[in-house]
Amino acid sequence: NAGVTQTPKFQVLKTGQSMTLQCAQDMNHEYMSWYRQDPGMGLRLIHYSVGAGITDQGEVPNGYNVSRSTTEDFPLRLLSAAPSQTSVYFCASSWDREGNSPLHFGNGTRLTVT
Amino acid sequence: AQTVTQSQPEMSVQEAETVTLSCTYDTSESDYYLFWYKQPPSRQMILVIRQEAYKQQNATENRFSVNFQKAAKSFSLKISDSQLGDAAMYFCAYRPSGGSYIPTFGRGTSLIVHP
């Protein structure tokens, strides 16, 4: 049981490049989400999904795209990377839509945009 | 919108001593859940403890316990017999029981443990 698998662990991009951060979970979780973590800012929600085919915006969605074609996968796409997107990104999932389920996190991706 | 406030950006404690990390939140909901997560230098986010708002009894997990004051909207984490491995960033999180069910995180408290 791998839990939440997030790749890559590190990535360096040039301004204007695009890339996709991969996230997969094998726990049959309905809820999946992407956060970015910046110093002193905590975790800010980028996008989330409550099931296959359903996605919605979080607090900081600009410059990011997501899709949820299967229950297992929830990739995050950076359309045209900007230095402001330098951050650590976390994918997280939970068992159900009820609040009592804790989030299970991937190991994070450290992204640097130069 | 719900907000979660961790007023202590950094705390320090001597090994074997006790430390309390503060968290307050703002919500109009009556039913919700609260969590503390630990993020060590490895960057992995780990669930420390969970509290259901409808339960009056404070949650406890080994050396970790909470002081949940629903009326005051306060959810502090107490770490007893602190160990060097407790050094980490700690995040408080709120999650409603229904509706949007989107978790809201505080900005975190960095805990330093001195030997």
Side-chain angles (χ1 to χ4, degrees), chain B:
Chain B
Q2 291 86 7
T3 57
V4 176
T5 301
Q6 293 180 249
S7 59
Q8 307 151 319
E10 186 177 286
M11 291 284 285
S12 63
V13 64
Q14 290 292 131
E15 199 174 3
E17 298 294 310
T18 296
V19 65
T20 299
L21 308 184
S22 300
C23 174
T24 58
Y25 57 93
D26 184 25
T27 183
S28 58
E29 303 289 335
S30 60
D31 196 14
Y32 49 86
Y33 300 87
L34 298 162
F35 304 86
W36 278 99
Y37 291 89
K38 171 185 177 181
Q39 186 183 39
S42 66
R43 205 167 68 196
Q44 178 67 42
M45 293 284 286
I46 304 163
L47 175 69
V48 175
I49 202 164
R50 166 177 45 187
Q51 174 78 42
E52 294 88 348
Y54 62 84
K55 288 187 178 179
Q56 292 187 337
Q57 185 173 7
N58 289 325
T60 299
E61 289 287 343
N62 300 315
R63 297 182 296 106
F64 298 87
S65 61
V66 299
N67 183 4
F68 173 50
Q69 303 288 333
K70 190 172 184 179
K73 297 179 183 175
S74 172
F75 181 60
S76 59
L77 176 69
K78 185 171 85 171
I79 306 174
S80 304
D81 185 25
S82 297
Q83 301 175 359
L84 295 177
D86 295 333
M89 182 72 79
Y90 287 82
F91 291 97
C92 177
Y94 162 98
R95 194 171 195 188
S97 67
S100 69
Y101 46 79
I102 298 172
T104 301
F105 286 83
R107 295 192 175 192
T109 296
S110 177
L111 178 65
I112 300 167
V113 181
H114 298 287

Side-chain angles (χ1 to χ4, degrees), chain A residues 8-29:
Chain A
K9 291 185 179 180
F10 301 94
Q11 183 70 51
V12 178
L13 290 178
K14 294 187 187 304
T15 298
Q17 287 184 319
S18 62
M19 78 158 295
T20 299
L21 305 184
Q22 302 291 344
C23 177
Q25 52 88 12
D26 60 359
M27 298 171 282
N28 203 30
H29 285 171

